Amino acid sequence: MLRRARRVSRREFLKVSGISLAGATLLGVSGCGGGGEEGGGGDGEEIVFSWISDDTGVLPELIDEFNEENESGLRVRFREMPSDTGQHFDQLRTEFQAGQSEIDVIGGDVIWPSQFARSEWIVDLSDRFGDQEEFLEGPMQAMRYEGKVYGVPWYTDSGLLYYRQDLLEEAGFSEPPDTWEELQEMARKVTQDAGIQQGFVFQGGEYEGGVVNGLEYIWNAGGNVLEGDRIVIDSPESVQGLRTERAMIETGTAPEAVISYKEDESHAAFIRGDSVFLRNWPYVYSLLGSEGESNVEPEQVGVAPLPVEAEGNQSYSGLGGWNFFISALSEKQDQAWEFIQFITAPEQQKTNALDGSRLPTRTSLYEDQEILDSVPIARLGKETIIENTRPRPVSPYYSDMSLTMAEQFAASLRGSVSPEEAVSNLQRELENIAERGGEI
Ligand code: GLC
């Protein structure tokens, strides 16, 4: 199938040539990774693969590799989608509802399969996908709908606490915080001692990432959204979770601006060296130390599970991750599968782990010494992180549930509704969605 030559990674290449990743994007070096240039497969067919622009630079590298080295002559053209998951989802939904899309392979969020499968926008992969047992159970479960499998997991995501180990040590703290209260205290001392602007940054915007952050505060205070198929969000624990999130701003631990932050704004503040703590996904680790973009080196940073409300509570992180689906409108489903097999193979997942600091979905890679040595998040990965991840509610109506959670969590964080009102509004609205849909 593929001959894999040793290649300089795109990140290394850009470093060697002195171009920063941000500059490269402006110059158009990235974005359409691999799709734009001629050559490689020659007269082969083309398939269209849609995903977001990859901050880590790994995806263009892998697409180029596929285009240059696959023997069937198939070429993949990359189509860039909005990096905000909700906007990304809306764009796909518009195309599918119109029955028209050029996309063959969809790079899709872990929260989409039930809705996409129920709407028949993606195809059942059960007959093609033979090695399912080699993948982690959490991400695999998210790919199933009514007993069939609709996607192949690429990498899995888990919310993490990044912290400035160097500054914590200088301020006399030898361990990261276990509770949100400790985080606030440490942030107060370290910002003063080190003269750093911000204590903590996270994703507080009114969008999908804000939903995951809000849920993490609720879960880490002992609350939940669903119990079986019952909505249970209106609880004192959920109120406490949202109160703690709001307190981050009230106490000045987080800047007021977090109410509009998504992944990019929050990681930018941290890698610039402007914040002591950051809640984000594993990819941020690979951005540390990149020339022209980061003032913070990986050696200065520690990574830990998210803090909890009270000592002894279990720490939960939101399960995220990206997967490959085949569009039901595609006339090139065999070719789409050929590309999916390539990009989810152990070798490509390993590249994604080493160069993109992303958690593999193939279980065996958690025993790969090279990954364990160079990606600290993978060491943390299997035991502490992956087992602590919790899925967002799995439902064909998730996109509606998400919109209402995004709205209420953001309003509570801004202080325009109280945490009590937010969870009681959510209880009512989520119950309405469940009633309308008949099930959750
Ligand atoms: C990450 C996660 C994804 C989540 C998104 C929210 O990309 O992998 O599951 O929905 O962040 O912003």
Side-chain angles (χ1 to χ4, degrees), residues 136 156 359-360 362-368 372 378 381-382 386:
L136 296 171
T156 185
L359 294 172
R362 287 183 177 270
T363 322
S364 62
L365 292 175
Y366 290 88
E367 267 126 54
D368 183 302
L372 295 176
K382 193 122 170 282
I386 291 177

Side-chain angles (χ1 to χ4, degrees), residues 15-309:
K15 260 189 193 164
V16 171
S17 64
I19 311 174
S20 77
L21 279 181
T25 311
L26 289 175
L27 291 169
V29 177
S30 79
C32 313
E37 316 99 50
E38 292 304 322
D43 56 359
E45 279 181 288
E46 183 182 84
I47 54 169
V48 176
F49 163 56
S50 64
W51 198 48
I52 55 177
S53 153
D54 185 356
D55 282 333
T56 73
V58 172
L59 187 76
E61 180 192 340
L62 292 179
I63 293 180
D64 282 348
E65 186 174 323
F66 180 82
N67 284 342
E68 282 159 24
E69 296 175 21
N70 87 76
E71 283 164 6
S72 67
L74 179 64
R75 288 188 62 84
V76 169
R77 177 158 66 84
F78 177 63
R79 174 168 156 199
E80 187 177 326
M81 302 297 273
S83 58
D84 175 316
T85 283
Q87 291 166 12
H88 187 167
F89 174 89
D90 286 345
Q91 196 157 318
L92 289 169
R93 175 163 55 187
T94 306
E95 291 184 24
F96 284 112
Q97 283 178 343
Q100 266 182 344
S101 175
E102 59 169 350
I103 302 167
D104 300 288
V105 177
I106 301 168
D109 201 330
V110 69
I111 49 184
W112 295 346
S114 9
Q115 192 155 8
F116 279 25
R118 186 169 194 272
S119 311
E120 298 181 355
W121 297 338
I122 52 177
V123 301
D124 173 13
L125 302 178
S126 310
D127 291 340
R128 296 185 191 265
F129 191 173
D131 55 353
Q132 293 170 34
E133 73 290 343
E134 290 177 16
F135 288 74
L136 296 171
E137 194 39 36
M140 269 317 299
Q141 248 169 26
M143 296 304 106
R144 299 200 179 99
Y145 180 70
E146 297 193 334
K148 295 176 185 154
V149 174
Y150 286 86
V152 183
W154 185 28
Y155 66 86
T156 185
D157 260 343
S158 181
L160 300 169
L161 181 73
Y162 290 81
Y163 60 97
R164 287 290 301 275
Q165 187 156 20
D166 55 342
L167 301 181
L168 253 59
E169 275 166 15
E170 280 165 29
F173 301 113
S174 55
E175 300 283 336
D178 287 329
T179 64
W180 291 118
E181 204 179 324
E182 279 171 17
L183 179 141
Q184 292 179 19
E185 281 162 22
M186 290 184 186
R188 198 163 29 245
K189 178 147 188 353
V190 177
T191 44
Q192 271 165 16
D193 288 8
I196 254 191
Q197 293 169 18
Q198 285 145 17
F200 182 36
V201 285
F202 56 96
Q203 298 82 51
E206 185 174 337
Y207 81 115
E208 187 60 41
V211 172
V212 187
N213 280 250
L215 288 174
E216 288 170 344
Y217 281 99
I218 289 179
W219 292 333
N220 287 337
N224 210 343
V225 180
L226 287 179
E227 240 170 53
D229 55 8
R230 231 161 30 90
I231 313 281
V232 295
I233 196 163
D234 192 356
S235 70
E237 290 83 3
S238 304
V239 169
Q240 184 53 50
L242 294 187
R243 203 175 273 152
T244 299
E245 185 178 20
R246 168 81 190 139
M248 293 299 166
I249 295 180
E250 283 169 344
T251 58
T253 310
E256 184 88 39
V258 289
I259 60 176
S260 64
Y261 276 12
K262 297 185 182 177
E263 279 77 3
D264 284 2
E265 292 83 2
S266 53
H267 85 226
F270 187 78
I271 68 175
R272 266 199 317 267
D274 288 345
S275 182
V276 183
F277 295 104
L278 162 75
R279 181 267 173 222
N280 213 317
W281 308 102
Y283 76 94
V284 173
Y285 200 83
S286 76
L287 306 180
L288 296 168
S290 37
E291 210 173 296
E293 284 180 278
S294 171
N295 301 326
V296 180
E297 297 297 320
E299 303 71 52
Q300 297 172 271
V301 172
V303 185
L306 293 174
V308 293
E309 195 58 46

